[in-house]
């Protein structure tokens, strides 16, 4: 994942085609010469050539591109937060399940949103504002933005054909780390639930650089990296209650990220 | 100008290939830490392995029947 994306694909494709062509040629020769040995060699070369073409991944990108492509999202949110003077909390508000039919004017309720209230605002965003898909709301004052981890969450649901609203929190402890590990974005994820508090430990995340002082992002501690945000959204979907990131800690070497999430009781 | 391999030959070749592919596929799927660094489509790999296994079983049935 860390090498030039063009080189290995080109080399493996060329080797695969070479194997395939020589295999077919040997198969043809073996039929004419009636030789079992040549036929075995030809069959093997054809098979492995075809297999190499089949199992070569279509696309792969360098891992560090994930951070560079996500960075502008957080920088934009940072700029918005400068104008808002936010409270140091953000609520991931769950959406309605996909199979529920909602009228056109309430379509906004099918999208997960993150509510960032202003410093002096109290209470949760009104359901009317969520339904209308608003961005800036007045009562209580704050921002409604799309959580950065929603893409990962949707990908997990599509890949596994699951709806997280149907998985109880007791099962999510085991299911969610497995689902996130399948994306190969981290080395290991552990999740532990204690009543309304959830602790998420991520080792070797590809997004770990987002927490570094180099970028000095303020919104990252509020919203979490896309993986933490996806986990917060998944818990919100599973419980049907908003979730909030309380604290994010990174180890001195930056390899381990520990996020403490809270399920908000309304 | 006949095809030089008999059904038994193909059956043996399929058995050997299926074992290699099934073991490789299982190793790749059981250790995601290491396999994430290997650039291959693991789903297709598993499908090819299972396909070879089934093809071998088909040849066995053909020989028995």
């Amino acid at each position: 994942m860390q090498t030039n994306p063009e080189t290995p694909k080109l080399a493996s494709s060329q080797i695969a085609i070479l194997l395939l062509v020589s295999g077919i040629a040997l198969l043809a020769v073996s039929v004419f010469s009636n030789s079992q040995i040549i036929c075995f060699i030809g069959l093997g070369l054809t098979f492995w050539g075809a297999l190499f073409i089949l199992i070569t991944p279509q696309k792969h990108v360098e891992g560090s591109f994930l951070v560079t492509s996500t960075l502008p999202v957080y920088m934009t949110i940072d700029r918005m937060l400068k104008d808002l003077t936010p409270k140091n909390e953000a609520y991931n508000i769950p959406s309605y399940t996909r199979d529920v039919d909602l009228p056109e004017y309430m379509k906004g309720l099918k999208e997960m949103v993150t509510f960032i209230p202003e410093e002096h605002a109290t209470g949760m965003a009104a359901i009317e504002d969520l339904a209308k898909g608003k961005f800036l709301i007045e009562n209580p004052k704050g921002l409604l933005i799309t959580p950065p981890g929603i893409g990962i969450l949707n990908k997990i649901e599509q890949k596994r054909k699951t709806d997280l609203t149907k998985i109880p929190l007791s099962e999510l402890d085991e299911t969610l780390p497995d689902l996130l590990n399948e994306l190969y974005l981290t080395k290991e994820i552990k999740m532990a639930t204690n009543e309304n508090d959830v602790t998420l430990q991520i080792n070797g995340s590809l997004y770990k650089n987002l927490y570094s002082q180099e970028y000095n992002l303020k919104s990252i501690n509020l919203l979490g990296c896309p993986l933490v945000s996806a986990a917060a959204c998944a818990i919100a979907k599973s419980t049907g209650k908003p979730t909030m990131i309380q604290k994010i800690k990174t180890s001195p070497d930056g390899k381990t990220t520990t996020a403490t999430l809270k399920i908000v009781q309304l | 100008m006949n095809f030089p391999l008999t059904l038994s030959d193909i059956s043996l070749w399929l058995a050997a290939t299926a074992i290699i592919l099934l073991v490789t596929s299982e190793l790749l799927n059981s250790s995601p830490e290491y396999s994430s660094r290997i650039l291959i489509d693991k789903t297709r790999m598993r499908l090819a392995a299972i396909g070879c296994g089934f093809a071998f079983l088909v040849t066995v049935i053909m020989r028995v029947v």
Side-chain angles (χ1 to χ4, degrees):
Chain A
M1 293 284 258
Q2 301 297 325
T3 52
N4 183 349
E6 287 301 320
T7 322
K9 189 171 186 275
L10 193 69
S12 64
S13 301
Q14 282 173 346
I15 292 168
I17 290 166
L18 190 73
L19 287 178
L20 194 66
V21 171
S22 55
I24 292 168
L26 281 177
L27 270 178
V29 170
S30 74
V31 172
F32 284 109
S33 62
N34 206 17
S35 164
Q36 247 188 348
I37 294 168
I38 296 174
C39 191
F40 265 124
I41 296 168
L43 201 60
L45 288 175
T46 311
F47 177 79
W48 287 104
L51 191 72
F52 282 177
I53 290 172
L54 189 75
I55 63 174
T56 307
Q58 295 301 306
K59 289 170 193 165
H60 57 273
V61 290
E62 206 175 315
S64 60
F65 284 162
L66 283 175
V67 171
T68 45
S69 59
T70 319
L71 204 57
V73 176
Y74 287 96
M75 287 164 90
T76 311
I77 297 169
D78 270 10
R79 286 176 80 99
M80 290 192 275
L81 294 181
K82 261 186 199 166
D83 274 354
L84 186 76
T85 49
K87 218 184 239 188
N88 205 15
E89 48 196 49
Y91 301 94
N92 298 292
I93 303 170
S95 58
Y96 271 65
T97 50
R98 276 189 227 124
D99 31 321
V100 172
D101 270 332
L102 289 173
E104 194 58 40
Y105 65 94
M106 291 180 93
K107 285 281 185 220
L109 293 176
K110 283 204 167 186
E111 291 166 16
M112 257 219 73
V113 284
T114 299
F115 173 54
I116 306 173
E118 201 208 16
E119 203 175 4
H120 304 294
T122 49
M124 196 58 71
I127 199 159
E128 293 82 16
D129 292 328
L130 297 174
K132 284 176 191 166
K134 280 190 171 181
F135 165 60
L136 267 169
I137 57 169
E138 282 304 319
N139 193 22
K141 199 169 180 184
L143 290 178
L144 287 171
I145 58 164
T146 305
I150 197 70
I152 291 178
L153 193 70
N154 289 341
K155 181 80 185 165
I156 289 170
E157 287 187 317
Q158 278 171 13
K159 210 173 168 185
R160 286 285 286 259
K161 293 179 184 127
T162 48
D163 188 355
L164 287 164
T165 50
K166 287 166 188 159
I167 300 176
L169 187 63
S170 52
E171 279 179 34
L172 205 67
D173 259 7
E174 287 179 12
T175 317
L176 190 63
D178 285 346
L179 292 172
L180 289 170
N181 278 329
E182 273 181 20
L183 299 175
Y184 303 116
L185 294 171
T186 62
K187 277 189 179 164
E188 193 185 18
I189 297 186
K190 287 178 192 164
M191 186 174 141
T193 312
N194 182 16
E195 286 182 27
N196 291 327
D197 293 319
V198 181
T199 310
L200 198 72
Q201 196 180 34
I202 304 172
N203 287 323
S205 164
L206 286 177
Y207 292 108
K208 63 177 186 280
N209 286 346
L210 284 173
Y211 296 101
S212 74
Q213 288 300 313
E214 185 191 345
Y215 301 121
N216 197 23
L217 297 169
K218 289 189 174 60
S219 52
I220 196 79
N221 292 313
L222 213 57
L223 305 168
C225 67
L227 271 175
V228 174
S229 172
C233 292
I235 297 162
K237 270 188 130 179
S238 166
T239 56
K241 290 169 186 160
T243 54
M244 194 185 95
I245 296 165
Q246 281 187 311
K247 200 167 63 179
I248 297 179
K249 245 178 25 183
T250 47
S251 63
D253 60 0
K255 284 182 181 168
T256 309
T257 310
T258 312
T260 314
L261 315 171
K262 189 182 178 185
I263 301 164
V264 182
Q265 303 290 336
L266 296 172
Chain B
M1 227 177 56
N2 290 326
F3 190 68
L5 299 183
T6 62
L7 189 63
S8 303
D9 295 332
I10 293 171
S11 182
L12 182 69
W13 180 80
L14 277 171
T17 313
I19 287 169
I20 294 167
L21 288 178
L22 283 166
V23 169
T24 313
S25 165
E26 202 50 49
L27 285 173
L28 285 173
N29 281 294
S30 61
S31 56
E33 263 183 54
Y34 299 103
S35 65
S36 59
R37 295 174 204 163
I38 302 168
L39 291 172
I40 61 167
D41 192 329
K42 285 158 204 87
T43 318
R44 285 184 184 175
M45 174 88 185
R46 171 152 279 203
L47 280 175
I50 293 169
C52 272
F54 270 109
F56 165 68
L57 291 177
V58 169
T59 55
V60 171
I61 292 166
M62 280 166 73
R63 284 166 65 196
V64 170
V65 175

